Amino acid sequence: MITFILVILALGLLSWLLFGRKKGKPEVQQQSQPLEDFSSSFGPAVKEFTITTPSNYNQGTYLDEFKGRAEGLPTTYYYNENLTSKNFPNPTYRLEPGKKYKVRIFPILKRVTSEDCLAFLCKQGAKLVGAQGLVVGYDQKKEEFPKGKYIVFFDEKKNLPLLDGDHRVPRVDACSDGDFGFNLGYFEDDCSEGHCLFCLSDSEK
């Protein structure tokens, strides 16, 4: 009886060895690109400059004051009505009056998610200022904004307004003819070539 069982087990093992194993090369599980590897998605900074928050800067009113000024400029071809202090009351980082900051503008080289953009900005030591950064950056160094590009001013998703089911991201459309549009993109959509990231950080002393 024992001999019979051993024979059955031996035949089963032989059958598995001959027919049960998959032929060909073993499958290798592909790993996604590490989140820390941004070399193919974002280029080196195309612009680098400094800005200084005005001494009279007021977090609660500055964006609305800017809206009133920008809408009257001949170079403003569009201003999104939702780009207001009410919709952007709590940026992750609040600009400090009278403080100097370093700004770098990075080009996006291929389609990336908003989460990818935030991870890249975090790696650069960015302070996420959202729409308030748009205001001060434009007021002081709009000539540094790359022409023919969308400059995006990211913030954490939770600090962006939810409008009609989408979280909206402030951006400046810098036209090649010198005009500017002040618009809102969509956090849920990807960014691609033609977009640039506004990266604000502490000024190097």
Side-chain angles (χ1 to χ4, degrees), residues 28-110:
V28 178
Q29 184 177 2
Q30 293 185 346
Q31 296 182 350
S32 60
Q33 176 180 326
L35 194 60
E36 292 79 10
D37 182 11
F38 298 108
S39 58
S40 64
S41 302
F42 304 92
V46 293
K47 293 286 185 177
E48 185 170 333
F49 51 90
T50 59
I51 60 174
T52 302
T53 311
S55 57
N56 65 342
Y57 174 80
N58 185 309
Q59 171 74 33
T61 61
Y62 202 74
L63 186 54
D64 290 335
E65 294 170 0
F66 172 77
K67 180 177 184 292
R69 288 187 285 107
E71 287 180 328
L73 295 175
T75 55
T76 299
Y77 77 89
Y78 178 75
Y79 194 101
N80 192 298
E81 63 180 6
N82 290 308
L83 191 54
T84 63
S85 297
K86 180 181 178 180
N87 285 328
F88 294 90
N90 297 308
T92 299
Y93 176 81
R94 292 175 175 262
L95 294 168
E96 298 179 27
K99 184 173 181 177
K100 180 183 290 187
Y101 297 95
K102 178 174 72 172
V103 172
R104 288 166 291 167
I105 297 181
F106 293 95
I108 295 176
L109 304 179
K110 66 178 185 180

